[in-house]
PDB file of all heavy atoms in Angstrom:
ATOM      1  N   GLY A  98      91.297  88.725 104.488  1.00  0.00           N
ATOM      2  CA  GLY A  98      91.705  88.618 103.109  1.00  0.00           C
ATOM      3  C   GLY A  98      92.147  87.227 102.727  1.00  0.00           C
ATOM      4  O   GLY A  98      91.927  86.257 103.466  1.00  0.00           O
ATOM      5  N   LYS A  99      92.875  87.118 101.640  1.00  0.00           N
ATOM      6  CA  LYS A  99      93.349  85.836 101.131  1.00  0.00           C
ATOM      7  C   LYS A  99      94.637  85.442 101.790  1.00  0.00           C
ATOM      8  O   LYS A  99      94.823  84.236 102.184  1.00  0.00           O
ATOM      9  CB  LYS A  99      93.480  85.865  99.609  1.00  0.00           C
ATOM     10  CG  LYS A  99      92.128  86.117  98.912  1.00  0.00           C
ATOM     11  CD  LYS A  99      92.338  86.092  97.367  1.00  0.00           C
ATOM     12  CE  LYS A  99      90.986  86.318  96.631  1.00  0.00           C
ATOM     13  NZ  LYS A  99      91.175  86.406  95.219  1.00  0.00           N
ATOM     14  N   VAL A 100      95.606  86.318 101.834  1.00  0.00           N
ATOM     15  CA  VAL A 100      96.925  85.943 102.373  1.00  0.00           C
ATOM     16  C   VAL A 100      97.077  86.504 103.748  1.00  0.00           C
ATOM     17  O   VAL A 100      97.381  85.756 104.691  1.00  0.00           O
ATOM     18  CB  VAL A 100      98.051  86.479 101.424  1.00  0.00           C
ATOM     19  CG1 VAL A 100      99.424  86.100 101.999  1.00  0.00           C
ATOM     20  CG2 VAL A 100      97.886  85.857 100.013  1.00  0.00           C
ATOM     21  N   GLY A 101      96.956  87.802 103.959  1.00  0.00           N
ATOM     22  CA  GLY A 101      97.032  88.374 105.280  1.00  0.00           C
ATOM     23  C   GLY A 101      98.409  88.316 105.897  1.00  0.00           C
ATOM     24  O   GLY A 101      98.575  87.958 107.024  1.00  0.00           O
ATOM     25  N   PHE A 102      99.478  88.591 105.072  1.00  0.00           N
ATOM     26  CA  PHE A 102     100.818  88.477 105.587  1.00  0.00           C
ATOM     27  C   PHE A 102     101.070  89.447 106.713  1.00  0.00           C
ATOM     28  O   PHE A 102     101.822  89.153 107.617  1.00  0.00           O
ATOM     29  CB  PHE A 102     101.772  88.784 104.456  1.00  0.00           C
ATOM     30  CG  PHE A 102     102.955  87.837 104.359  1.00  0.00           C
ATOM     31  CD1 PHE A 102     103.076  86.959 103.339  1.00  0.00           C
ATOM     32  CD2 PHE A 102     103.879  87.795 105.384  1.00  0.00           C
ATOM     33  CE1 PHE A 102     104.127  86.027 103.282  1.00  0.00           C
ATOM     34  CE2 PHE A 102     104.967  86.943 105.364  1.00  0.00           C
ATOM     35  CZ  PHE A 102     105.113  86.071 104.285  1.00  0.00           C
ATOM     36  N   LEU A 103     100.459  90.629 106.717  1.00  0.00           N
ATOM     37  CA  LEU A 103     100.678  91.590 107.742  1.00  0.00           C
ATOM     38  C   LEU A 103      99.855  91.425 108.994  1.00  0.00           C
ATOM     39  O   LEU A 103     100.091  92.064 110.013  1.00  0.00           O
ATOM     40  CB  LEU A 103     100.434  92.968 107.142  1.00  0.00           C
ATOM     41  CG  LEU A 103     101.353  93.389 106.037  1.00  0.00           C
ATOM     42  CD1 LEU A 103     100.887  94.739 105.458  1.00  0.00           C
ATOM     43  CD2 LEU A 103     102.779  93.468 106.430  1.00  0.00           C
ATOM     44  N   ALA A 104      98.856  90.576 108.903  1.00  0.00           N
ATOM     45  CA  ALA A 104      97.898  90.387 110.055  1.00  0.00           C
ATOM     46  C   ALA A 104      98.488  89.449 111.058  1.00  0.00           C
ATOM     47  O   ALA A 104      99.230  88.518 110.746  1.00  0.00           O
ATOM     48  CB  ALA A 104      96.572  89.856 109.563  1.00  0.00           C
ATOM     49  N   GLU A 105      98.122  89.669 112.324  1.00  0.00           N
ATOM     50  CA  GLU A 105      98.547  88.793 113.371  1.00  0.00           C
ATOM     51  C   GLU A 105      97.600  87.701 113.714  1.00  0.00           C
ATOM     52  O   GLU A 105      97.925  86.643 114.313  1.00  0.00           O
ATOM     53  CB  GLU A 105      98.856  89.663 114.626  1.00  0.00           C
ATOM     54  CG  GLU A 105      99.328  88.891 115.842  1.00  0.00           C
ATOM     55  CD  GLU A 105     100.637  88.150 115.669  1.00  0.00           C
ATOM     56  OE1 GLU A 105     101.332  88.381 114.672  1.00  0.00           O
ATOM     57  OE2 GLU A 105     100.963  87.359 116.520  1.00  0.00           O
ATOM     58  N   ALA A 106      96.308  87.934 113.415  1.00  0.00           N
ATOM     59  CA  ALA A 106      95.284  86.973 113.791  1.00  0.00           C
ATOM     60  C   ALA A 106      94.339  86.725 112.643  1.00  0.00           C
ATOM     61  O   ALA A 106      94.295  87.525 111.707  1.00  0.00           O
ATOM     62  CB  ALA A 106      94.518  87.427 115.033  1.00  0.00           C
ATOM     63  N   GLU A 107      93.528  85.683 112.706  1.00  0.00           N
ATOM     64  CA  GLU A 107      92.567  85.319 111.692  1.00  0.00           C
ATOM     65  C   GLU A 107      91.150  85.638 112.276  1.00  0.00           C
ATOM     66  O   GLU A 107      91.013  85.854 113.461  1.00  0.00           O
ATOM     67  CB  GLU A 107      92.665  83.861 111.278  1.00  0.00           C
ATOM     68  CG  GLU A 107      94.052  83.505 110.687  1.00  0.00           C
ATOM     69  CD  GLU A 107      94.395  84.204 109.398  1.00  0.00           C
ATOM     70  OE1 GLU A 107      93.414  84.430 108.617  1.00  0.00           O
ATOM     71  OE2 GLU A 107      95.534  84.486 109.188  1.00  0.00           O
ATOM     72  N   THR A 108      90.196  85.592 111.363  1.00  0.00           N
ATOM     73  CA  THR A 108      88.819  85.991 111.726  1.00  0.00           C
ATOM     74  C   THR A 108      88.235  85.143 112.902  1.00  0.00           C
ATOM     75  O   THR A 108      87.523  85.606 113.779  1.00  0.00           O
ATOM     76  CB  THR A 108      87.883  85.919 110.588  1.00  0.00           C
ATOM     77  OG1 THR A 108      87.937  84.584 109.985  1.00  0.00           O
ATOM     78  CG2 THR A 108      88.211  86.941 109.504  1.00  0.00           C
ATOM     79  N   GLY A 109      88.574  83.851 112.872  1.00  0.00           N
ATOM     80  CA  GLY A 109      88.088  82.972 113.925  1.00  0.00           C
ATOM     81  C   GLY A 109      88.692  83.157 115.283  1.00  0.00           C
ATOM     82  O   GLY A 109      88.306  82.489 116.240  1.00  0.00           O
ATOM     83  N   GLU A 110      89.654  84.069 115.368  1.00  0.00           N
ATOM     84  CA  GLU A 110      90.373  84.326 116.625  1.00  0.00           C
ATOM     85  C   GLU A 110      89.939  85.608 117.330  1.00  0.00           C
ATOM     86  O   GLU A 110      90.626  86.063 118.251  1.00  0.00           O
ATOM     87  CB  GLU A 110      91.852  84.303 116.425  1.00  0.00           C
ATOM     88  CG  GLU A 110      92.403  83.031 115.793  1.00  0.00           C
ATOM     89  CD  GLU A 110      93.882  83.061 115.410  1.00  0.00           C
ATOM     90  OE1 GLU A 110      94.219  84.047 114.662  1.00  0.00           O
ATOM     91  OE2 GLU A 110      94.625  82.237 115.909  1.00  0.00           O
ATOM     92  N   LEU A 111      88.848  86.212 116.889  1.00  0.00           N
ATOM     93  CA  LEU A 111      88.451  87.525 117.449  1.00  0.00           C
ATOM     94  C   LEU A 111      88.219  87.530 118.935  1.00  0.00           C
ATOM     95  O   LEU A 111      88.629  88.459 119.638  1.00  0.00           O
ATOM     96  CB  LEU A 111      87.241  88.088 116.731  1.00  0.00           C
ATOM     97  CG  LEU A 111      87.469  88.833 115.418  1.00  0.00           C
ATOM     98  CD1 LEU A 111      86.189  89.304 114.791  1.00  0.00           C
ATOM     99  CD2 LEU A 111      88.392  90.056 115.676  1.00  0.00           C
ATOM    100  N   GLU A 112      87.609  86.475 119.407  1.00  0.00           N
ATOM    101  CA  GLU A 112      87.351  86.380 120.872  1.00  0.00           C
ATOM    102  C   GLU A 112      88.675  86.382 121.649  1.00  0.00           C
ATOM    103  O   GLU A 112      88.796  87.027 122.637  1.00  0.00           O
ATOM    104  CB  GLU A 112      86.518  85.161 121.207  1.00  0.00           C
ATOM    105  CG  GLU A 112      85.074  85.230 120.839  1.00  0.00           C
ATOM    106  CD  GLU A 112      84.204  84.132 121.366  1.00  0.00           C
ATOM    107  OE1 GLU A 112      84.774  83.418 122.288  1.00  0.00           O
ATOM    108  OE2 GLU A 112      83.104  83.862 120.924  1.00  0.00           O
ATOM    109  N   THR A 113      89.588  85.566 121.118  1.00  0.00           N
ATOM    110  CA  THR A 113      90.897  85.506 121.763  1.00  0.00           C
ATOM    111  C   THR A 113      91.666  86.834 121.653  1.00  0.00           C
ATOM    112  O   THR A 113      92.290  87.333 122.638  1.00  0.00           O
ATOM    113  CB  THR A 113      91.779  84.450 121.104  1.00  0.00           C
ATOM    114  OG1 THR A 113      91.135  83.202 121.170  1.00  0.00           O
ATOM    115  CG2 THR A 113      93.139  84.365 121.703  1.00  0.00           C
ATOM    116  N   VAL A 114      91.500  87.536 120.520  1.00  0.00           N
ATOM    117  CA  VAL A 114      92.144  88.824 120.316  1.00  0.00           C
ATOM    118  C   VAL A 114      91.629  89.830 121.402  1.00  0.00           C
ATOM    119  O   VAL A 114      92.372  90.562 122.086  1.00  0.00           O
ATOM    120  CB  VAL A 114      91.856  89.379 118.943  1.00  0.00           C
ATOM    121  CG1 VAL A 114      92.193  90.824 118.835  1.00  0.00           C
ATOM    122  CG2 VAL A 114      92.679  88.631 117.922  1.00  0.00           C
ATOM    123  N   VAL A 115      90.281  89.901 121.563  1.00  0.00           N
ATOM    124  CA  VAL A 115      89.718  90.815 122.510  1.00  0.00           C
ATOM    125  C   VAL A 115      90.153  90.486 123.931  1.00  0.00           C
ATOM    126  O   VAL A 115      90.541  91.339 124.738  1.00  0.00           O
ATOM    127  CB  VAL A 115      88.195  90.747 122.448  1.00  0.00           C
ATOM    128  CG1 VAL A 115      87.552  91.543 123.582  1.00  0.00           C
ATOM    129  CG2 VAL A 115      87.713  91.283 121.128  1.00  0.00           C
ATOM    130  N   SER A 116      90.121  89.200 124.255  1.00  0.00           N
ATOM    131  CA  SER A 116      90.572  88.778 125.613  1.00  0.00           C
ATOM    132  C   SER A 116      91.957  89.177 125.923  1.00  0.00           C
ATOM    133  O   SER A 116      92.348  89.706 127.025  1.00  0.00           O
ATOM    134  CB  SER A 116      90.349  87.287 125.758  1.00  0.00           C
ATOM    135  OG  SER A 116      90.863  86.801 126.965  1.00  0.00           O
TER     136      SER A 116
END
Side-chain angles (χ1 to χ4, degrees):
K99 294 180 180 179
V100 179
F102 223 113
L103 298 174
E105 178 62 11
E107 301 295 326
T108 55
E110 302 173 304
L111 272 178
E112 287 189 15
T113 301
V114 166
V115 171
S116 174

